[in-house]
Amino acid sequence: MNVKQQHRTVHSVEVTQNHQPFLFISDVHFDSTKCDRDLLVKHLKKAREIGAKVFVFGDWFDLMQGKWDPRGTYSDLRPEYKSITYLDDVVQDSAEFLSDYLDIIVFFGRGNHETAIEKRMHTSPLDRLAYALNQKGGNVCVAGYSGWLKVEIFFNGKKRCNTFVHYHHGFGGNAPRSKGVLRCDLDQMQFPDASLIVRGHTHQKWHLPITVDRITRYGNLYQESTHHLQLGSYKLLGDRFAGWATEKGFQTPRLGGWFPTLHVDNNDMPYWTIKEAQ
C-alpha cells in the first residue's frame, strides 16, 4: 500500500488487492500511565497477521505532564519520562516502540494533544516521530487534524475505482447520553462523497452505517452505504480516585479501534465491511 500527499488535506492511498484490510485507531495516549499497551500490541500484531495497514487519527501522544498543562498530574508521569528532556524522551520511546511495526504503520493525523504541544512548545511531536521512523526505514505520512483519504484501487496495474474516507480527530465533549451519534446526519450532509467517515477524540466507540438511495445518470436506481466510525481510545479510566477524567465525569471507555476492509464487487463498485478491534 502506497500513501502519498496530494494536497495539504488530501492523501492518496493506493490499494492493489481486493478485500484490503485496514486498522483505524486514535487516542492511543501512548506515553500515559493509563495507556493499555498490551491491547495496542495485540491489535498491531493482528493487523500484521491479516495484512492491514495502520492509520492513527490523532492523539498518539498524551503529553499532558508539561508544567504548562492544567490537566497534568505528576503522579501520572511514567518514571522513564521524569527528566528535563521530557518531550524528547516521549518521542524517542514512541519511535523505539513503533520500530517493530515499520511495515504496517503508514499514517498519523494530528489530535488535540499534538496541536497543544505545537501551540505551546513550538514543535511538532508527530513530525519528529515520523522523521525518526522514516530514518529507520519506515514510510510514514503526517497529516492534519482533518482531511481526506482518496483510496484508489488498482488490479493488475489497471485502475478499477476509487472511494473516499473523511477523517476528523473530533471536538467537543464526550456526549454521555447520545455518544455523539447525533452528528452523523450532519456529517453525512456535509461530506456526501465519503463512503467512510472517521471520528475520534471523545473516547466513545461505535459504528453506524447509513444507507441512502441513489440514481445514475442513466436512470438506474441503487443503494449506497456510508459507514460512520467513532474510534475508541486505548487509555484506561483508572480507579476514579482523582484526576482530570474523574473530575469531568468521563464514562468508562470501550477500548480499541476498528478493522475496516475494502472490497470491490463485480461491477467495480467499492464497499466496506467493518470489524471491531477488541
Side-chain angles (χ1 to χ4, degrees), residues 24-28 56-59 169 199-201 231-234:
F24 287 173
I25 61 177
S26 73
D27 300 277
V28 174
V56 184
F57 295 102
D59 284 359
H169 175 65
R199 300 292 182 260
H201 180 62
L231 306 178
S233 173
Y234 285 82

Side-chain angles (χ1 to χ4, degrees), residues 2-261:
N2 191 20
V3 182
K4 293 183 179 179
Q5 185 174 9
Q6 286 193 338
H7 182 271
R8 192 179 186 191
T9 57
V10 179
H11 285 75
S12 65
V13 181
E14 184 178 309
V15 171
T16 58
Q17 68 178 47
N18 206 351
H19 317 300
Q20 173 64 56
F22 298 76
L23 173 58
F24 287 173
I25 61 177
S26 73
D27 300 277
V28 174
H29 300 279
F30 176 77
D31 51 291
S32 170
T33 57
K34 297 183 177 66
C35 175
D36 191 339
R37 292 189 179 185
D38 291 337
L39 183 65
L40 176 61
V41 168
K42 176 184 175 181
H43 291 169
L44 292 176
K45 288 183 175 179
K46 181 64 176 180
R48 175 179 285 146
E49 175 187 328
I50 65 175
K53 299 299 183 181
V54 181
F55 290 69
V56 184
F57 295 102
D59 284 359
W60 168 265
F61 294 109
D62 194 64
L63 291 176
M64 293 200 310
Q65 307 310 322
K67 62 182 180 181
W68 46 266
D69 199 320
R71 301 167 298 179
T73 303
Y74 187 72
S75 59
D76 284 345
L77 182 61
R78 299 179 73 96
E80 61 267 33
Y81 302 147
K82 292 181 179 180
S83 77
I84 194 65
T85 55
Y86 165 56
L87 292 179
D88 295 333
D89 294 345
V90 171
V91 171
Q92 182 179 350
D93 190 36
S94 290
E96 291 175 357
F97 173 83
L98 290 172
S99 64
D100 290 335
Y101 305 99
L102 293 178
D103 55 321
I104 58 174
I105 298 287
V106 296
F107 182 92
F108 283 97
R110 284 169 165 81
N112 57 294
H113 284 251
E114 286 87 22
T115 57
I117 295 296
E118 292 175 353
K119 179 171 66 175
R120 293 183 171 94
M121 306 299 290
H122 309 290
T123 186
S124 170
L126 279 183
D127 283 296
R128 291 165 62 176
L129 174 59
Y131 178 81
L133 294 175
N134 292 339
Q135 288 291 104
K136 294 173 179 285
N139 187 18
V140 178
C141 290
V142 176
Y145 202 92
S146 69
W148 291 88
L149 302 178
K150 179 185 179 183
V151 187
E152 302 176 295
I153 301 98
F154 292 83
F155 296 155
N156 300 318
K158 181 181 179 181
K159 185 174 179 179
R160 297 281 294 274
C161 54
N162 56 254
T163 190
F164 295 91
V165 176
H166 186 267
Y167 65 89
H168 190 295
H169 175 65
F171 53 88
N174 66 353
R177 295 297 296 275
S178 71
K179 316 299 182 188
V181 174
L182 298 179
R183 280 213 56 88
C184 289
D185 288 340
L186 298 176
D187 285 339
Q188 185 100 7
M189 175 187 66
Q190 192 167 9
F191 308 106
D193 297 314
S195 62
L196 190 59
I197 295 177
V198 180
R199 300 292 182 260
H201 180 62
T202 64
H203 296 202
Q204 303 283 6
K205 186 182 184 184
W206 43 260
H207 164 224
L208 178 66
I210 296 179
T211 301
V212 298
D213 292 319
R214 302 293 300 272
I215 185 169
T216 70
R217 60 178 177 171
Y218 303 108
N220 298 320
L221 303 178
Y222 68 101
Q223 291 184 329
E224 189 174 71
S225 293
T226 299
H227 295 270
H228 296 256
L229 284 184
Q230 179 67 49
L231 306 178
S233 173
Y234 285 82
K235 189 174 183 179
L236 297 160
L237 187 60
D239 62 6
R240 299 180 185 267
F241 177 77
W244 179 265
T246 299
E247 293 173 8
K248 293 297 181 180
F250 290 171
Q251 294 178 312
T252 301
R254 184 165 179 82
L255 302 181
W258 296 90
F259 285 108
T261 299

